[in-house]
Amino acid sequence: MASDEGQSRRKVQKLIDLENEVQQLWAAERIFEQDAPAEGEAARDTYVVTFPYPYVNGRFHLGHAFTVSKAEFAVAYQRLRGKHCLFPFGMHCTGMPIKTAADKVKRELEEFGFPPVFPVEDQFVGYDFNRDERWLAEEAEFQKGKKSGGDKKAAKGGKAAKGGKGGKGGKGGKGEDPAVAEAKALTRRKRAYFIKHVNGELPESNEETAEEAEARKQAELVKKAEQAADPTKSFHSKKSKVAQKGGNMRQWYIMKQLDIPDEEIPNFADAAYWLKFFPPLYRSDLSRFGLKVDWRRTFITTDANPYYDSFVRWQFNTLHAMKKLRFAKRYSIFSPKDGQPCMDHDRSKGEGVLPKEYTLIKMRVEAEDLAARFPSLVGRNVFLTAATLRPETMYGQTNCWVGPEVEYGAFEVNDSEVFVMTPRAARNLAFQGHSKVPREVSCVLEMSGVDLLGLRLHAPLAVKYPVVHVLPMSTVKADVGTGVVTSVPSDSPDDYVNLVDLQKSPEWRVKCGVKDEWVVGYEPVPILRVPAIGKDKQPSDLAAPLMCAELKINGPKQHTQLAEAKKECYNVGFHDGTMIVGQFEGRPVSEVKPLLRQVLLDDNLAVVYSEPDGYVESRSGEECVVALTDQWYIHYGEEEWKEKTRTALARLETFDDTTRARFQATLDWLVEWACSRTYGLGTSMPWDEAYLIDSLSDSTIYMAFYTVAHLLQKGELDPACLTPSALKANTALEVQPEQLTHSVWDFVFRDGPDPTDSDIDREVLLKMRREFLHWYPVNLRVSGNDLINNHLSFFLFNHTAIFPEKHWPQAVRTNGFLLLDNQKMSKSTGNFMTLNGALDKFGVDATRLALGEAGDSTDDSNFTEENANAAILHLHTQLEWCTETVAAADQLRSGEHTFADRWFENEMVKLVRETEAHYDKTNFAAAIHSGFSSMQGARDRYVLMCASAGMHGPLALSFVERQVVLLSPIAPHWSEHIWRSVLKRDGSVLNASWPVVGEVDPLIDRQGQYLLTQVHDIAKKLEYNTKILKGAPTCGFAYIVRTYPEVQQKVLTTLGELHSKSGEFPNPKEVSAALGPLFDKKTLKFLMKFVMEVKQMYEASGASAFELTSSIDEVDMLQSNMGYIREALSIPYDIQVVMCNEDGSAPEGVRDLRKDPSVTRPTRPSYLFFKE
């Protein structure tokens, strides 16, 4: 085993050494640096590919590499097609993450000293188990016991590792999701190990850890479809304190996991140091990966780079002049700790979550009940506040629901009113102008849901029951809405089944603490009529009871059926319903909803309430709220702009219908985007310096900046070299940042007039403009799916606003996340790999091959170590084969081609064309399959077909050359080495031309397929006869017929005629109708089996399947390739080939033991083997 590992490592090292040599050549030749043609030089067809510049606060990991590989493979392929290609790459530093992390380092050093001494629980959270060899060995042994079926051993190990008592950290409950249970078990094992081997002072804990929280979150997503669909009632369990802070690891430990020495970590308390430290590491890792980047064009963002800062200011001044930006109060996801809106890239959790707006119904508590239950609140207007999305249904209220185990509070919202709700809802509301002290929660009394049961409430607008009671509902939770839910059983299946559940069972009422008078006698109130609902599409004014009866819903635990009923009731009610009560009686529900909401607000019966539509955590580690804030926002909802962007989307190549649909959905809902911040790094709003531009808004058209960046800052990344004094002292610079006026940028990017307010040399200005006009537009933007609903849509919007149509993006290619060995990548579980780690382990080209094979779809893809290791073996083996073959080429035969040669050339032509089609569609896994795996397979078959004659020398060399070119986008170092060192070609394979091939010869293709099929069929027959004969046969016969019997000829003729009409293989009904008049039922039934055989041949070889006589000379094919057949089947004798008579019988004197000669058909010989 050790020797195998050593041999494998030697192969890896050989490839790594080769890769290093090749990269040194590329660097010396500056092969990736590309410039626009000079004035007077011929224009070239360009191809520009870009990738969202990464946030430089760590190391590039394998998931990033998977996405960037799509851009890398595409640009390399287009280079082979003769395009003038550019792949620029920048470094993103804008936003909160760096500033937040720097501030954390600073606080930790101030609080815990240097080196810091953290509480033991923090030491456990921050402990890097993945670098503890003893832990890794013990865990591997434990997992080995589980996988080998050692249940007792695994159970014993699990029991020994518990280290805690019950609670969330203890044994999983009945029906617990396996992933959650496994995460809990892993935590118990880690905790027990930490106590035993690291720090025995670690206390027991039942709080949820980060990995447990993540596993639970995934389990909840899986179950979400089975839960109730109404947002006001479909609640999720509240996260523990540890989960709410994300199991947050101390920043010190995060830095250590990035391999930063203790003595250097204090430097990171300064945000500027991050900008100096990480960008060179990214460049180093990506250069090692072989990325074809022109690094002269790289840059960092924020005002630390005055060139980019000037560019972003120009962009926003342009948008502002176009009236695309506005300033107003808007609801936004907000971080109280940071004191500013928290948009997608400012979040550690909850990317894509938006504010969700409700109507908060004020249900006033009866004065007598207030005095009896909560005397401290007497004299105030106290309301239970229910968040609803359906204010138009308030006419039908019968009761109010609370969660009996939910914690509530009475919160002062102004001098006279008190709202009863959950603390979480009160916190949100306080940031929306509804708190006694702005943005501060004022709780005057705490209470539980049980304390509220039975209270009488005045239900606004209720037509039959103006006073209702508070009842318990177990599914009401605390983390969505206010924890208070008003009940309308006429149109809400959840409300109906819970109400009936209490009404029909006195015992259940007693158990729940519900008095009869609170619930008995309350019936659903008809408030709206739908014309057609349910299976029978019948009209109804009590939709919920009807759907519950139809779906046989008898209780609140039938989640799947309730979700179905709810969807039907809400969709039909809103879109087709008509109000039958109230001031808007007779009008459509969809029309009434906003009108009635305004009535409630105007009459002070409700307030507007908004909250995040999901859990959001800022990078400061705090749960976010929705706040009503003053802010600058981009008005993406402007209809003319939106239509223009839809036009851009219509002409955009997305490679996948799912991607296009996601874009369309985003363009539909996107209206406003808060683009201003007060905390973090970035560019100031040009006309309002109090605000910074957010990280998703300064990154929409920066691809244009790439075209001129090398002329401005000359590839400089170090912020210290971009200060005003450093720039002044740099005599190599042709442009200083202050010279980049608005009119200069207009001249370069928008065909503006010569700038009169800048003294930049006009030749420099013209050169900048030529660079932009030569390279733009972006031909391909590669990104993850998760950026469609923000960055990629903003990318389209901003291009349509600022640039003419000829400069709009041409294609966007997206992908899902990358799994590692079929598991989500996670540092906490150890299933994680940086790009640099992968390159150390597998080498560059093997890593690239495994990334390419990981997947082509927009779903999540899978990188496997098995594929990476297999790639090492394949590359090493093929390198040796190519080297040996080229060295011996002069000794191989030449001259006239045999059938094997013709077949191999034809197969290569076919595979080149297939690979070209896959590259064109950016299906790189498929390109690897056809351009490498299938090419190798064809080569191996060719070697066998040549048998003792050996390969044709020039053809073998042609194979090697084509192979290295086809694979060069994926494995460029391997290809470059063979191109230069083995084939001795001049220049680089990266600048080679894509192989030019003719058309595939269909006859040779069919002949080749025939031969391969015969080898397969002979092998099966030989195996069968060997068993029957109880030993290896010593001779064999192949029986061949040239034409089909008359009956089958009629079938083939009919099928061919039907095919000529539609261009497709006819369906069974068409075949039966056409053949019915020609044959009796019994014959027809027999012939339909033959039709299915023809269909299989059609799927393999097309319309040739309808030929009455085989176009292949089968006798010659078998006889002339008998050497190959013998070699492939390892038989010491030739098979005797027999051409049968027209009736299928063997010629006189030829041995024939076939039981049924009729089964012998054209291209389907019969084989028999004997012992003599």
Side-chain angles (χ1 to χ4, degrees), residues 195 244 406 454 501 556 837 844 877 1053:
I195 291 171
Q244 282 195 13
V406 173
D501 207 40
V844 179
T877 301
T1053 300

Side-chain angles (χ1 to χ4, degrees), residues 995-1155:
V996 177
V997 295
E999 297 294 324
V1000 175
D1001 186 320
L1003 178 58
I1004 294 177
D1005 190 50
R1006 288 201 300 274
Q1007 290 172 334
Q1009 290 298 324
Y1010 172 84
L1011 188 58
L1012 294 175
T1013 300
Q1014 298 320 305
V1015 170
H1016 176 266
D1017 291 350
I1018 294 170
K1020 289 176 63 177
K1021 190 66 176 182
L1022 192 60
E1023 181 182 9
Y1024 173 75
N1025 283 159
T1026 299
K1027 289 181 180 178
I1028 296 297
L1029 297 172
K1030 297 182 179 180
T1034 58
C1035 65
F1037 291 83
Y1039 301 93
I1040 293 173
V1041 296
R1042 190 177 300 280
T1043 61
Y1044 284 94
E1046 183 180 353
V1047 170
Q1048 292 171 333
Q1049 287 189 30
K1050 289 182 180 180
V1051 174
L1052 290 170
T1053 300
T1054 303
L1055 292 175
E1057 291 171 350
L1058 292 172
H1059 175 267
S1060 65
K1061 294 177 182 178
S1062 65
E1064 297 179 353
F1065 195 90
N1067 62 50
K1069 287 185 178 180
E1070 292 174 322
V1071 175
S1072 295
L1075 295 179
L1078 304 179
F1079 305 102
D1080 58 55
K1081 290 185 177 180
K1082 184 176 181 181
T1083 304
L1084 182 61
K1085 185 176 181 181
F1086 170 78
L1087 289 175
M1088 289 304 289
K1089 295 180 180 179
F1090 173 66
V1091 171
M1092 297 311 296
E1093 293 177 12
V1094 177
K1095 184 178 181 182
Q1096 291 176 353
M1097 291 189 291
Y1098 173 81
E1099 291 171 349
S1101 56
S1104 64
F1106 306 129
E1107 294 175 352
L1108 305 182
T1109 301
S1110 174
S1111 59
I1112 299 172
D1113 187 340
E1114 297 182 61
V1115 173
D1116 180 66
M1117 281 298 302
L1118 293 180
Q1119 289 178 340
S1120 63
N1121 289 284
M1122 193 57 66
Y1124 164 53
I1125 294 171
R1126 291 178 57 170
E1127 186 80 17
L1129 300 175
S1130 300
I1131 56 176
Y1133 51 85
D1134 288 350
I1135 298 171
Q1136 184 174 338
V1137 182
V1138 179
M1139 173 56 73
C1140 295
N1141 300 317
E1142 289 189 8
D1143 63 357
S1145 63
E1148 187 176 347
V1150 175
R1151 188 174 186 180
D1152 185 6
L1153 295 180
R1154 290 176 297 163
K1155 294 181 180 179

Side-chain angles (χ1 to χ4, degrees), residues 104-120 122-123 250-253:
K104 285 181 179 178
V105 172
K106 184 178 180 180
R107 286 196 300 268
E108 289 172 10
L109 292 172
E110 289 173 350
E111 186 174 355
F112 300 104
F114 174 77
V117 180
F118 296 113
V120 178
D122 287 344
Q123 293 176 34
R250 294 286 183 181
Q251 189 66 39
W252 178 272
Y253 291 124

Side-chain angles (χ1 to χ4, degrees), residues 278 504 519 607 630 778 858 945:
F278 282 110
K504 70 183 181 183
V519 65
V607 296
D630 287 324
V778 173
T858 56
M945 288 169 73

Side-chain angles (χ1 to χ4, degrees), residues 451-492:
D451 298 329
L452 300 171
L453 296 182
L455 285 177
R456 288 175 294 169
L457 308 176
H458 293 266
L461 301 184
V463 294
K464 187 172 182 179
Y465 307 111
V467 176
V468 299
H469 291 88
V470 178
L471 301 176
M473 181 191 278
S474 61
T475 55
V476 175
K477 303 297 182 184
D479 60 351
V480 176
T482 61
V484 179
V485 183
T486 188
S487 174
V488 184
S490 59
D491 293 272
S492 167

Side-chain angles (χ1 to χ4, degrees), residues 52 89 139 175 232 437 586 644 650 740 844 1169-1170:
F89 201 98
E139 181 65 9
T232 64
V437 178
K644 203 174 181 182
L740 293 168
V844 179
F1169 291 90
F1170 310 99

Side-chain angles (χ1 to χ4, degrees), residues 711-753:
L711 302 177
L712 301 177
Q713 60 190 76
K714 310 294 184 181
E716 185 58 67
L717 281 175
D718 189 346
C721 297
L722 293 169
T723 62
S725 58
L727 292 172
K728 291 293 184 187
N730 190 341
T731 57
L733 298 177
E734 297 178 285
V735 178
Q736 291 291 323
E738 62 270 18
Q739 294 175 289
L740 293 168
T741 63
H742 189 91
S743 57
V744 167
W745 293 118
D746 274 350
F747 175 84
V748 174
F749 295 131
R750 305 191 75 206
D751 199 26

Side-chain angles (χ1 to χ4, degrees), residues 21-97:
E21 291 173 7
V22 167
Q23 289 191 5
Q24 288 174 15
L25 277 172
W26 290 344
E29 295 171 359
R30 304 167 75 91
I31 196 166
F32 304 133
E33 295 181 6
Q34 303 293 322
D35 293 303
E39 183 71 32
E41 292 182 357
R44 296 178 60 185
D45 193 8
T46 59
Y47 192 84
V48 178
V49 62
T50 64
F51 166 83
Y53 46 21
Y55 205 84
V56 285
N57 61 342
R59 296 297 289 266
F60 213 73
H61 63 65
L62 211 53
H64 296 139
F66 173 65
T67 302
V68 82
S69 72
K70 308 294 185 186
E72 162 70 4
F73 300 157
V75 78
Y77 167 68
Q78 293 296 336
R79 188 168 179 149
L80 296 172
R81 300 312 303 267
K83 303 283 183 66
H84 192 199
C85 293
L86 180 66
F87 187 2
F89 201 98
M91 311 287 179
H92 204 193
C93 311
T94 306
M96 288 177 54

